[in-house]
Amino acid sequence: YLTRSKAAIFPNLNLNDVQTLHSGSVQDPNTYQYSKQSGSTNDLSLNSSVTLFNGYLLLNTVKQNKLIYEAGMLDVEKTKNDILLNVVAGYMQVLMDYEAIREAQDQVAESTAQVIQIKQFVDFGKLAELSLLQIQSQLASDKLLMVNAENQLQLDKLTLLQLMEIPVRNDFDIQRMELKELFPETPMSTKEIDKISENFLPQIKSALQKTDASLNSLKMAESGRLPKLTLGGSLNGGYSSAKNDVYSNQFKNNFSQQVSITLAVPIFNNLIIKSNIAIAKINVQSAQWNEKQTKSEVRKNIEIVYTNQVMAGKKLIATQEQMELEKRTYFDMGKKFNVGTMSATDFLIEKNNYYKVAMLLIQAKYDYVLKAKMVDFYIGKPLLF
């Protein structure tokens, strides 16, 4: 549409060649005489016209289509951003799965070593066989948790591949990264983030472009009230079988030139122009409302990601503190269990508590990083790790 509207500004040029066969009483267009005999005529013309003025309709049409095109490209960019954010979330989930598997593997290795140790205690009569059965049951539970973690990794890899529109591949893997030590901090205010985001988010730019396009459409509708001035010209020649002369001589003798200027002044057109203007005004109001709605949606999203980051930071700090205490407790109870001064039941309760907190810490770390990346997106930072 943009290319077509630009081309409409230039003059047109058309070549017409009309071959006519006639019989009966007809007027020959080249001799202007009536005859009843059969014959033929050939009329050749070259015509051109250009609009000199039409209330700037052609220029506004070009501007309109350019705005619509640019808004469309911005909508595409917004879609790309949505996909990117989903891919980042999928990537973070896979990273978290790998760390969860490492934690599960550590638990399995520790339980395996404990089974060997407790079996020796049982063989020497230091502990009852019940303790060995309890530890073996814990090892089986730890192995199941590891299998579940590995299965979850495969599912999340599949999700990530589908987000990237890549067919499933058994050799697919990601570049892994280790999270640096995290120090949650309060980001800038939502008002500051919102102000920054308005300068680069494609959905806001697109909404602004669409508002400008609607205002331009109103100008186009109003141009229907203005006169239209058109310049035209033609070159004409013809041939008739009724004349006893060759084609080239007839064409030369019948050759004519014509230049015309046409002024069309709208007086009454069944209220079409008035209706078009009224519709254009409604479209302007709709575009302006859409612009406000888009800005409002962005503001709400910023408020959500901001709040999510703050809450995730608080949760991470609390979980880190809980993990520090849990490590000390688990270490102390482990020493007592290894020397036989604590029952297997009490130790396994503490072991499971430790594992739960370890998993909560893994989730809290990656959740905080993801929430922080969402805020980074709205302030224009690249989503790098």
Side-chain angles (χ1 to χ4, degrees), residues 264-280:
V265 180
I267 297 176
F268 181 73
N269 51 18
N270 300 323
L271 302 179
I272 293 177
I273 295 177
K274 184 177 180 180
S275 297
N276 290 341
I277 292 174
I279 293 172

Side-chain angles (χ1 to χ4, degrees), residues 92-313:
M92 295 298 296
Q93 184 64 46
V94 172
L95 281 178
M96 188 181 75
D97 291 339
Y98 273 117
E99 190 162 345
I101 289 174
R102 286 198 298 269
E103 181 63 34
Q105 289 171 339
D106 291 342
Q107 292 293 323
V108 169
E110 186 175 348
S111 295
T112 300
Q114 289 168 348
V115 166
I116 295 172
Q117 181 181 9
I118 298 305
K119 188 175 187 303
Q120 292 175 346
F121 287 166
V122 172
D123 290 342
F124 286 110
K126 190 174 182 180
L127 289 175
E129 189 175 3
L130 177 62
S131 296
L132 177 59
L133 294 175
Q134 289 176 312
I135 294 297
Q136 288 174 333
S137 177
Q138 180 64 46
L139 174 59
S141 297
D142 291 343
K143 288 181 178 179
L144 177 60
L145 290 173
M146 185 176 68
V147 170
N148 290 337
E150 290 171 345
N151 289 341
Q152 187 62 49
L153 172 63
Q154 296 305 313
L155 288 174
D156 291 333
K157 279 186 176 181
L158 173 61
T159 299
L160 183 58
L161 282 168
Q162 291 178 341
L163 286 171
M164 296 187 294
E165 295 294 335
I166 298 176
V168 175
R169 292 168 40 190
N170 293 329
D171 62 341
F172 170 75
D173 206 348
I174 64 169
Q175 182 176 353
R176 304 184 205 177
M177 51 152 285
E178 295 292 337
L179 292 183
K180 300 177 181 178
E181 190 174 359
L182 301 175
F183 300 97
E185 57 183 4
T186 303
M188 63 182 72
S189 68
T190 55
K191 288 185 178 180
E192 292 174 310
I193 299 173
D194 189 39
K195 186 175 181 180
I196 294 172
S197 68
E198 285 189 357
N199 295 323
F200 72 90
L201 283 182
Q203 58 265 47
I204 292 181
K205 289 185 176 181
S206 175
L208 292 171
Q209 293 282 67
K210 290 172 182 176
T211 298
D212 289 343
S214 68
L215 291 169
N216 199 69
S217 292
L218 178 58
K219 292 180 180 179
M220 293 167 62
E222 291 173 340
S223 67
R225 293 172 171 171
L226 301 176
K228 180 178 180 181
L229 188 63
T230 306
L231 174 65
S234 65
L235 302 175
N236 305 280
Y239 164 83
S240 174
S241 62
K243 286 186 176 182
N244 295 321
D245 202 353
V246 296
Y247 181 90
S248 58
N249 290 337
Q250 287 195 42
F251 187 84
K252 180 179 179 181
N253 294 332
N254 293 326
F255 180 75
S256 65
Q257 306 172 58
Q258 180 179 324
V259 176
S260 64
I261 295 180
T262 303
L263 178 65
V265 180
I267 297 176
F268 181 73
N269 51 18
N270 300 323
L271 302 179
I272 293 177
I273 295 177
K274 184 177 180 180
S275 297
N276 290 341
I277 292 174
I279 293 172
K281 288 181 178 179
I282 294 174
N283 290 336
V284 169
Q285 294 176 349
S286 177
Q288 290 173 338
W289 180 88
N290 180 70
E291 180 185 333
K292 292 180 181 178
Q293 184 69 15
T294 300
K295 291 180 178 180
S296 177
E297 288 176 358
V298 169
R299 175 184 58 78
K300 291 176 183 178
N301 288 336
I302 289 172
E303 291 170 348
I304 291 173
V305 298
Y306 174 91
T307 303
N308 285 341
Q309 181 182 355
V310 172
M311 293 191 301

